[in-house]
Amino acid sequence: MEKKREPIIVIRNVHKQFGSSVLALGGVSLEVYPQEVVVVIGPSGSGKSTLLRCINRLEEHQRGDIIVDGGNSFYQDDLARSEALAKRGVRLLDVGTSGGVWGLDRGFCLMIGGAADAVRQALRNWPNAPKAPTDEVCHCRA
């Protein structure tokens, strides 16, 4: 049986307007699948940069949905993203799991990177979070 391909980015009916007169995105919809290369082409002022800034949350959109599936990221890339987002009041946490192919049987590690106070706040909002032996490590069992 063939595995169903799921999009890694889904953009549905996204609208972004600057002020009362400049419509930058008027109902943009798009799906991006793994291994796909997408090129956004258009004339100056057509909303290309605005779309990308909405996807990475450097710009807020007024309507629609933007869903980005999780995946591996290089932590140093997230440091730059975190600094840029912090200027807009957004606190980025890099969350991932590790455990390799043995994770299901032996448990896996949930890794959360970010400003310590932001991590503590996120964990307060996750009442069933496994208790960690230190503030830096959280071990889960499957």
Side-chain angles (χ1 to χ4, degrees):
M1 177 180 229
E2 187 177 320
K3 186 177 176 184
K4 181 181 173 192
R5 283 181 32 138
E6 297 286 332
I8 55 173
I9 299 175
V10 176
I11 300 168
R12 286 190 211 120
N13 198 29
V14 170
H15 293 258
K16 170 64 181 173
Q17 186 166 329
F18 293 99
S20 60
S21 61
V22 179
L23 180 64
L25 303 173
V28 174
S29 294
L30 169 74
E31 290 185 349
V32 178
Y33 290 85
Q35 317 260 305
E36 202 171 47
V37 176
V38 176
V39 179
V40 181
I41 299 173
S44 179
S46 64
K48 304 176 301 292
S49 295
T50 300
L51 175 62
L52 295 174
R53 291 175 62 80
C54 286
I55 292 170
N56 67 21
R57 306 292 292 170
L58 292 175
E59 196 69 61
E60 294 297 321
H61 59 286
Q62 283 88 13
R63 275 195 353 229
D65 298 307
I66 298 175
I67 303 163
V68 179
D69 191 9
N72 288 336
S73 62
F74 182 52
Y75 78 95
Q76 288 184 340
D77 292 341
D78 283 340
L79 295 175
R81 288 185 193 106
S82 180
E83 289 176 16
L85 290 168
K87 294 174 185 173
R88 304 191 67 66
V90 177
R91 302 172 79 191
L92 176 71
L93 295 178
D94 185 357
V95 181
T97 60
S98 180
V101 295
W102 307 279
L104 183 59
D105 293 330
R106 299 182 187 168
F108 60 91
C109 176
L110 177 63
M111 300 170 289
I112 304 174
D117 61 326
V119 172
R120 281 192 290 276
Q121 180 181 356
L123 290 175
R124 278 195 303 274
N125 293 323
W126 183 16
N128 297 325
K131 300 304 174 212
T134 71
D135 286 341
E136 300 171 5
V137 179
C138 180
H139 189 264
C140 308
R141 296 292 293 171

